[in-house]
């Protein structure tokens, strides 16, 4: 009778994600012969979107990363052009969520650079960024684009400073420089970008109002160990952290910011030393933990009922990972029930790993693919800095996603990035612009896009000089 009772009480939790399995793609669908960076920095080293995959690589005499079209699989030629404008090693890269051709990079040279990748990838080395953001005094190791505001970028450096940039104007709008007393381990936005979450070497977790630069709430010692803590926002404003116990066991914990006294859930995982990088999917409530130096990916389901964090399964392989890229939902193959795709970096290659929910039907699985965040921003940078919030603009994946605003958005980004807040000053970085200024008797109204695309030889320069018009003083 007792054994019967035991069996009745032993109930397996039902979940449509209980049988999710990971599978590495075949060798001909990987990216081979790439010299992944040897830097000992705990960033992803990889960023992906539906068009490109970017990876930080070893480079002599500076820092570089490569950007490949997703379709360019197989062995990568050693002479492939790189993005190589930094004078120090690149530490972090991230594609803009609102334009698949724009990528930001942070480096040991203390600068942040914004790059424009042409459709089809690079055909020559890219050395000149669209815009260069300077404001950090030490290396820049963390970058994160705003999820809903156009042209807003957050950077965090080893100077313990967080800067919010208006990329379109090339200026730092908010500088949070007195809050963190030690190295910042991680920094991320919440779903609509109205809050920032940071973890720091001073053992504090902080939820910050980004525009006021003030702390909303904070937690001291979310994990007892002294090794790095990572933190991300999950569903309903809750916070998931990864860290270490006093005995150096790796842990994952879930917190309610309204009551930071005790974790909603705390689980010990293993005794490995690699920092766990969390990737959260708000559509499915699944969080993936990828440890640097691990050969596995664990995944958990986060729900709104106790015990809140439920272990699902683990993908294991033979080779350890040096970094990890995470594909946005709009880049997945919905007809194959793919709910996540990772780009795992090895010593010399990048290997895509697909997470799939097994289903027999070929029909669109609406329960797996609710409307997801699209590429359209919901608020402009100036409006967001003025206090306006914008909720994510959602798209359906039912018929596959086709971008409809790419050209308009791309044009706006280029023209905005070339202007400054002062109407009488022009960007000094282009040698053609400097030559025009020095040789012409007039102040010339310059459109950056026209110059960049058309003034490529001296004949063009002479033609432009003859067409230059004086600007009346009223302008």
């Amino acid at each position: 009778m007792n054994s019967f009772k035991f069996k009745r009480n032993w109930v397996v939790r039902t979940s449509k994600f209980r049988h999710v399995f990971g599978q590495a793609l075949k060798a001909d669908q990987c990216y081979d012969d790439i010299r992944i960076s040897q830097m000992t920095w705990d960033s992803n080293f990889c960023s992906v979107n539906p068009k490109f995959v970017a990876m930080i690589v070893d480079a002599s005499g500076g820092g570089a990363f490569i950007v490949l079209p997703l379709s360019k699989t197989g062995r990568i030629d050693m002479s492939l052009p790189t993005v190589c404008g930094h004078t120090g090693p690149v530490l972090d890269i991230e594609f803009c969520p609102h334009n698949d051709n724009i990528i930001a990079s942070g480096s040991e040279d203390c600068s942040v650079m914004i790059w424009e990748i042409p459709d089809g990838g690079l055909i020559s080395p890219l050395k000149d960024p669209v815009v260069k953001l300077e404001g950090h005094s030490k290396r820049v190791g963390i970058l994160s684009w705003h999820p809903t505001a156009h042209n807003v970028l957050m950077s965090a450096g080893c100077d313990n400073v967080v800067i919010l940039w208006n990329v379109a104007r090339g200026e730092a709008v908010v500088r949070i420089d007195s809050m963190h007393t030690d190295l910042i381990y991680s920094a991320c936005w919440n779903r609509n970008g109205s809050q920032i979450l940071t973890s720091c070497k001073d053992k504090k977790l902080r939820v910050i109002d980004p525009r006021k630069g003030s702390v909303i709430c904070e937690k001291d010692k979310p994990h007892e160990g002294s090794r790095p803590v990572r933190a991300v926002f999950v569903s309903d404003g809750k916070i998931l952290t990864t860290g270490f116990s006093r005995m150096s066991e790796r842990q994952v914990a879930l917190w309610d910011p309204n009551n930071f006294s005790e974790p909603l859930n705390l689980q010990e995982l293993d005794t490995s030393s690699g920092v766990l990088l969390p990737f959260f999917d708000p559509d499915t409530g699944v969080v993936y933990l990828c440890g640097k130096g691990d050969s596995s990916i664990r995944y958990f389901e986060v729900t709104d009922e106790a015990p809140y964090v439920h272990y699902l399964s683990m993908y294991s392989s033979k080779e350890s990972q040096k970094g990890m890229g995470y594909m946005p939902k709009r880049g997945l193959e919905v007809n194959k029930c793919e709910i996540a795709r990772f780009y795992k970096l090895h010593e010399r290659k990048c290997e895509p790993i697909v997470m799939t929910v097994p289903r027999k039907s070929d029909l669109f699985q609406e329960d797996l693919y609710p409307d997801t965040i699209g590429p359209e921003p919901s608020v402009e940078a100036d409006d967001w800095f003025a206090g306006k919030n914008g909720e994510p603009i959602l798209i359906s994946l039912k018929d596959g996603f086709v971008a409809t605003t790419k050209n308009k958005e791309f044009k706006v980004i280029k023209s905005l990035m070339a202007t400054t807040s002062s109407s009488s000053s022009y960007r000094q970085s282009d040698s053609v612009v400097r030559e025009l200024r020095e040789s012409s008797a007039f102040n010339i109204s310059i459109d950056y896009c026209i110059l960049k695309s058309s003034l490529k030889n001296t004949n063009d320069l002479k033609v432009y000089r003859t067409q230059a018009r004086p600007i009346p003083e009223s302008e």
Side-chain angles (χ1 to χ4, degrees), residues 18-316:
R18 204 159 64 88
H19 299 291
V20 169
F21 68 97
Q23 190 170 21
L25 296 187
K26 294 178 181 177
D28 61 347
Q29 294 174 289
C30 297
Y31 308 85
D32 278 318
D33 215 13
I34 300 169
R35 294 173 299 150
I36 302 300
S37 173
Q38 299 295 314
M39 289 294 295
T40 55
W41 186 254
D42 286 331
S43 72
N44 299 344
F45 281 22
C46 181
S47 184
V48 294
N49 65 26
K51 276 189 181 180
F52 301 106
V53 54
M55 294 162 272
I56 302 175
V57 295
D58 268 339
S60 56
F65 60 95
I66 60 171
V67 181
L68 303 171
L70 286 186
S71 58
K72 191 176 176 62
T73 55
R75 186 179 177 278
I76 306 302
D77 196 321
M78 295 280 284
S79 61
L80 188 85
T82 61
V83 182
C84 51
H86 284 287
T87 57
V90 177
L91 299 179
D92 198 14
I93 51 176
E94 185 168 356
F95 277 110
C96 175
H98 308 127
N99 188 316
D100 289 343
N101 295 75
I102 298 294
I103 187 169
S105 60
S107 166
E108 274 200 358
D109 64 12
C110 309
S111 70
V112 177
M113 295 186 182
I114 312 298
W115 309 89
E116 170 207 323
I117 309 299
D119 285 332
L122 299 177
I123 56 174
S124 61
L126 188 56
K127 298 180 181 179
D128 298 319
V130 181
V131 101
K132 185 176 181 179
L133 306 173
E134 295 180 301
H136 287 283
S137 60
K138 292 185 179 179
R139 58 185 179 174
V140 183
I142 299 171
L143 297 175
S144 182
W145 289 94
H146 195 286
T148 62
H150 197 198
N151 287 333
V152 176
L153 177 69
M154 170 173 59
S155 65
C158 293
D159 50 6
N160 312 336
V161 174
V162 175
I163 298 179
L164 304 185
W165 305 89
N166 184 334
V167 173
R169 300 186 183 280
E171 61 187 20
V173 181
V174 177
R175 184 181 175 91
I176 304 172
D177 54 8
S178 58
M179 183 181 298
H180 301 92
T181 60
D182 212 326
L183 181 68
I184 300 167
Y185 285 141
S186 70
C188 68
W189 303 91
N190 65 348
R191 186 171 169 83
N192 70 353
S194 60
Q195 295 178 355
I196 287 173
L197 172 64
T198 65
S199 61
C200 183
K201 195 175 181 180
D202 63 11
K203 297 190 176 182
K204 287 190 177 181
L205 201 64
R206 295 174 174 89
V207 179
I208 301 168
D209 184 318
R211 286 163 290 208
K212 294 179 182 177
S214 59
V215 176
I216 299 172
C217 57
E218 66 180 22
K219 168 64 180 174
D220 196 28
K221 290 188 178 181
H223 297 273
E224 291 290 331
S226 58
R227 305 210 59 231
V229 170
R230 290 298 181 108
V232 290
F233 282 107
V234 293
S235 305
D236 303 322
K238 295 184 179 70
I239 292 169
L240 185 131
T241 61
T242 63
F244 294 80
S245 70
R246 192 172 289 164
M247 304 299 291
S248 294
E249 295 170 307
R250 291 199 296 192
Q251 297 177 323
V252 57
L254 187 71
W255 305 87
D256 181 355
N258 299 316
N259 182 13
F260 258 145
S261 58
E262 292 291 331
L264 297 173
N265 185 298
L266 177 66
Q267 296 184 32
E268 292 185 346
L269 303 177
D270 56 30
T271 54
S272 296
S273 59
V275 174
L276 286 167
L277 309 177
F279 298 90
F280 178 68
D281 178 2
D283 300 337
T284 60
V286 177
V287 63
Y288 303 87
L289 303 184
C290 309
K292 272 220 157 185
D294 287 12
S295 57
S296 62
I297 302 173
R298 288 182 177 85
Y299 33 108
F300 300 77
E301 187 175 2
V302 181
T303 64
D304 54 4
E305 296 178 354
Y308 304 106
V309 180
H310 310 271
Y311 174 75
L312 291 173
S313 188
M314 179 170 67
Y315 164 81
S316 296

